[in-house]
Amino acid sequence: MNDHDGGRVRPAPGRVEVVAGPMFAGKSEELLRRVRRARLAGQGVVVVNHALDVRSGGGQVASHSGLAIPSATATDAEQIRALVTPGTDLVAIDEAQFFGAGLVDAVLALADDGLTVVVAGLCITFDGQPFEPLPALMAVAETVVKLTAVCAVCGRDAAYHVRLAPGTADARTAVAAHVGGAESYQARCRAHRITRR
Ligand SMILES: [Zn+2]
């Protein structure tokens, strides 16, 4: 770890904070809450989103509840490092699942430089499998918050989401093929994550 970066003395070491969960769990909202708190504390904050997140039209991190903060856009993990300036104390990365396995080393390098890195993203795929690199990031983080959504069928805590066929919200029509945008996904509890019958 370095105590200096561009002549600026940092408290060492940094830390990694992960906010994980399925879709509709409020991950971006929690990320933005931490960004606002850091800015209130006078910290230099860089917010990064992946170019593949077209939910908000690009250039910002937006939550499903309508909150939004302008962000830098990156297409791979290596670009994130270049967005950090000497005045940066905290890096907030949304939609981390889009950055792939290279994000783990990039995040660890930032933390070793004394930065706080907040990483939010999907830790589960629509077909119920661990979604890297979030599981790996959860393993090396100082703190992990696992958020749940609300099951669209029964209202219980939902740790999963499923992809639905176009034009329907029927639990029996969850499909494996990619068919569209966020409107074709639903949060589901353990009992309703797999369609039977
Ligand atoms: Zn349910």
Side-chain angles (χ1 to χ4, degrees):
M1 68 193 75
N2 299 326
D3 290 330
H4 289 263
D5 184 353
R8 177 188 153 101
V9 177
R10 295 185 189 287
R15 55 189 284 112
V16 178
E17 304 177 1
V18 171
V19 179
M23 292 180 72
F24 314 113
K27 301 181 301 300
S28 295
E29 204 166 326
E30 174 61 20
L31 182 91
L32 295 179
R33 188 184 73 85
R34 297 185 190 195
V35 165
R36 285 194 302 271
R37 286 179 57 89
R39 285 183 171 153
L40 283 171
Q43 295 185 24
V45 178
V46 170
V47 182
V48 183
N49 198 0
H50 197 281
L52 283 177
D53 180 22
V54 295
R55 176 173 64 187
S56 55
Q60 62 179 4
V61 169
S63 71
H64 288 290
S65 65
L67 300 172
I69 284 181
S71 69
T73 299
T75 56
D76 62 48
E78 288 66 36
Q79 292 181 353
I80 296 173
R81 198 85 190 267
L83 296 169
V84 174
T85 62
T88 304
D89 302 294
L90 183 146
V91 179
I93 304 167
D94 200 24
E95 303 293 353
Q97 73 280 354
F98 288 143
F99 287 97
L103 186 61
V104 178
D105 283 345
V107 164
L108 290 175
L110 292 170
D112 285 344
D113 281 347
L115 296 166
T116 296
V117 188
V118 182
V119 185
L122 296 173
C123 59
I124 188 94
T125 63
F126 70 90
D127 53 353
Q129 300 302 309
F131 198 166
E132 295 292 352
L134 266 296
L137 288 164
M138 292 161 85
V140 299
E142 270 72 21
T143 67
V144 175
V145 172
K146 179 84 184 292
L147 298 175
T148 55
V150 176
C151 178
V153 178
C154 71
R156 291 192 189 94
D157 284 350
Y160 299 86
H161 59 273
V162 296
R163 182 181 284 166
L164 302 174
T168 176
D170 190 308
R172 290 163 293 176
T173 57
V175 294
H178 182 66
V179 291
E183 69 280 356
S184 58
Y185 293 87
Q186 280 187 350
R188 296 293 179 90
C189 73
R190 185 169 304 285
H192 294 119
R193 78 189 189 280
I194 301 169
T195 56
R196 299 188 176 92
R197 301 203 238 192

